[in-house]
Amino acid sequence: GRVVVLDARDENAFGAASRAIAELMPRVLDALNAEDANGFGDPREHARPLTENLRAVGFLANRAGDAVVTLWNAASPAFSDADPTTASDVNAREEARWHAAARAFRRDLGLKGVVSRRKKKPPRVCGADRVYETAAVPTFSSLRAAASSKTSSAADAEEVETTSSDEIELLRLCMVEGAFSNPNADVAERTAGWLRETTRRALAERGEDAAWFSSSTASTAKKSRKRKTRTRLTELYCGNGTHTVNLARAFRAVTAVEIEPRLCAAARENFAANGVTNASVEATPAETFSAARGGDDEKQSQPNDDFILVDPPRAGLDPTTVSLVRRYRTIVYIACDSRSLVRDLRERGLGATHELRRAAVFDHFPYSEFCEVVVWAERRRET
């Protein structure tokens, strides 16, 4: 990813941030310090509405520089004097002052939005609470053409590169404030390309052609209605649907699962923005989804010939979800902690039922000890 190296003499520089955030941070700091220094009047009037009980500042930005700033404020203190003003009037006045200050802050810094989060209170939002990233990924057709132009051994050994504009598909992805989004868009593009190439290879082993179903042209869409791919994709921990959008058109249908309702809403927005019509998302924990499908019931755990992608948190998969995942013919496991992946393969049985076919490491989190480890596994053949 892009790492910004700022002047080492600047004590406010944060080199681990994206360029957009690194350049914005000192400007935000100056603006907040100016408000804090220039407050006036009775403190009960909250003359410093943005910095009142300010505890932290968060940033969400895309590579184009669109940004949302989140202000984490502790709840305002309660006053118990004899002021006859009702509580509702005080709250209305406080809200009006905050929005006026936030509008000026947003305008002066060129922000897409400003959000204030306070414990046990709904967030305040001025402007937008999301930004949109554009990701460039190779088309399935270009991956097939590139693979067919090489020997099989070369295709296995090398990453497929695409450079021509007609070999690239642009995805528009919504990222929501206060919910997880990938912090490294450059590496996320590389990951998306790897996932497409892996999907192409896995479907090719089944005699299915991902390129056949990935085009959004009217002529191909008409053909697709006559000859649909057999394989379905189940995706657990789908977040805002980035992987779903990237892979959906290679499959007959996609069922995506995510526990966070705001991310489910963002996923649906991303489906619509990218013309994905064969995917749905369920707002439920992965363990609940797995249990409902007999993931923890050996009597119901019959083999499933479909394809599953899991992108769990660092804790990895729970035992019920492992039981469900083992039933699928093809597994793609995206691990943000390799130790959890090793545990699920060795101790929880994924390695006993499936063999690894491909693996890659992506450094999504520079300056941290964690890397994304992605593996493709296929069900072992009975001998």
Side-chain angles (χ1 to χ4, degrees):
R2 297 172 183 166
V3 176
V4 181
V5 179
L6 300 178
D7 191 334
R9 295 169 295 179
D10 184 355
E11 63 181 8
N12 296 320
F14 183 50
S18 68
R19 179 173 297 278
I21 292 176
E23 293 177 349
L24 179 60
M25 291 176 77
R27 297 173 57 217
V28 167
L29 185 63
D30 289 344
L32 293 175
N33 283 335
E35 183 195 65
D36 193 54
N38 298 325
F40 58 90
D42 189 328
R44 290 174 297 179
E45 296 296 323
H46 298 182
R48 303 177 180 86
L50 301 184
T51 54
E52 178 77 15
N53 297 313
L54 182 63
R55 296 293 182 265
V57 181
F59 296 84
L60 173 67
N62 61 16
R63 288 175 292 186
D66 301 327
V68 174
V69 169
T70 302
L71 306 174
W72 294 84
N73 302 92
S76 300
F79 298 101
S80 57
D81 57 13
D83 190 332
T85 307
T86 65
S88 60
D89 289 339
V90 171
N91 290 335
R93 210 162 54 236
E94 180 183 342
E95 291 296 314
R97 288 192 180 91
W98 185 87
H99 280 279
R103 283 193 295 271
F105 183 72
R106 178 186 171 210
R107 180 194 63 232
D108 293 346
L109 294 175
L111 303 173
K112 287 295 181 181
V114 182
V115 178
S116 174
R117 290 192 168 273
R118 302 160 295 163
K119 188 174 182 180
K120 296 182 180 180
K121 290 190 177 183
R124 295 162 165 159
V125 180
C126 176
D129 67 346
R130 60 198 61 201
V131 297
Y132 297 86
E133 184 66 81
T134 299
V137 295
T139 65
F140 282 106
S141 296
S142 68
L143 292 171
R144 178 186 62 178
S148 63
S149 67
K150 299 179 179 182
T151 65
S152 59
S153 60
D156 286 339
E158 299 176 12
E159 291 296 324
V160 177
E161 298 287 350
T162 59
T163 55
S164 174
S165 61
D166 61 358
E167 297 175 336
I168 295 297
E169 181 178 355
L170 297 180
L171 307 178
R172 177 177 167 83
L173 302 171
C174 166
M175 302 186 296
V176 182
E177 179 277 336
F180 178 81
S181 57
N182 194 293
N184 197 327
D186 295 333
V187 176
E189 282 182 336
R190 299 288 295 182
T191 307
W194 189 94
L195 288 172
R196 282 200 165 193
E197 169 60 11
T198 298
T199 297
R200 183 199 66 77
R201 295 187 189 192
L203 292 179
E205 289 194 3
R206 300 163 180 249
E208 299 180 11
D209 186 357
W212 230 92
F213 311 102
S214 64
S215 173
S216 59
T217 63
S219 60
T220 304
K222 184 176 180 180
K223 291 179 182 178
S224 295
R225 287 194 292 270
K226 296 180 180 179
R227 178 192 169 209
K228 294 181 179 179
T229 179
R230 299 182 300 275
T231 305
R232 298 173 181 266
L233 172 65
T234 299
E235 182 183 354
L236 305 184
Y237 317 93
C238 75
N240 61 353
T242 300
H243 301 317
T244 318
V245 168
N246 184 36
L247 302 177
R249 284 196 292 271
F251 293 93
R252 180 177 182 180
V254 183
T255 299
V257 176
E258 168 56 45
I259 191 173
E260 171 56 55
R262 293 184 71 226
L263 284 174
C264 290
R268 295 185 186 101
E269 181 177 343
N270 285 331
F271 298 166
N274 293 278
V276 174
T277 60
N278 64 334
S280 62
V281 60
E282 298 184 20
T284 188
E287 184 176 7
T288 301
F289 176 89
S290 299
R293 282 151 182 78
D296 56 354
D297 187 341
E298 292 297 329
K299 293 181 180 180
Q300 298 184 41
S301 295
Q302 300 301 316
N304 185 320
D305 204 38
D306 285 331
F307 193 119
I308 192 166
L309 184 151
V310 296
D311 189 359
R314 290 194 179 125
L317 303 176
D318 62 87
T320 300
T321 303
V322 169
S323 296
L324 177 69
V325 171
R326 291 177 63 184
R327 291 162 51 187
Y328 284 78
R329 173 175 170 178
T330 303
I331 302 171
V332 171
Y333 191 134
I334 304 174
C336 51
D337 189 337
S338 59
R339 292 166 294 192
S340 297
L341 172 62
V342 170
R343 180 206 64 201
D344 291 342
L345 288 170
R346 290 184 175 178
E347 300 175 18
R348 293 187 174 173
L350 289 183
T353 56
H354 290 71
E355 61 178 354
L356 297 187
R357 303 293 294 278
R358 197 172 189 227
V361 177
F362 298 95
D363 191 5
H364 285 272
F365 310 104
Y367 295 85
S368 80
E369 64 177 294
F370 297 102
C371 285
E372 298 273 306
V373 180
V374 191
V375 299
W376 163 31
E378 287 287 325
R379 183 186 297 138
R380 295 183 183 276
R381 297 178 180 178
E382 295 183 3
T383 56

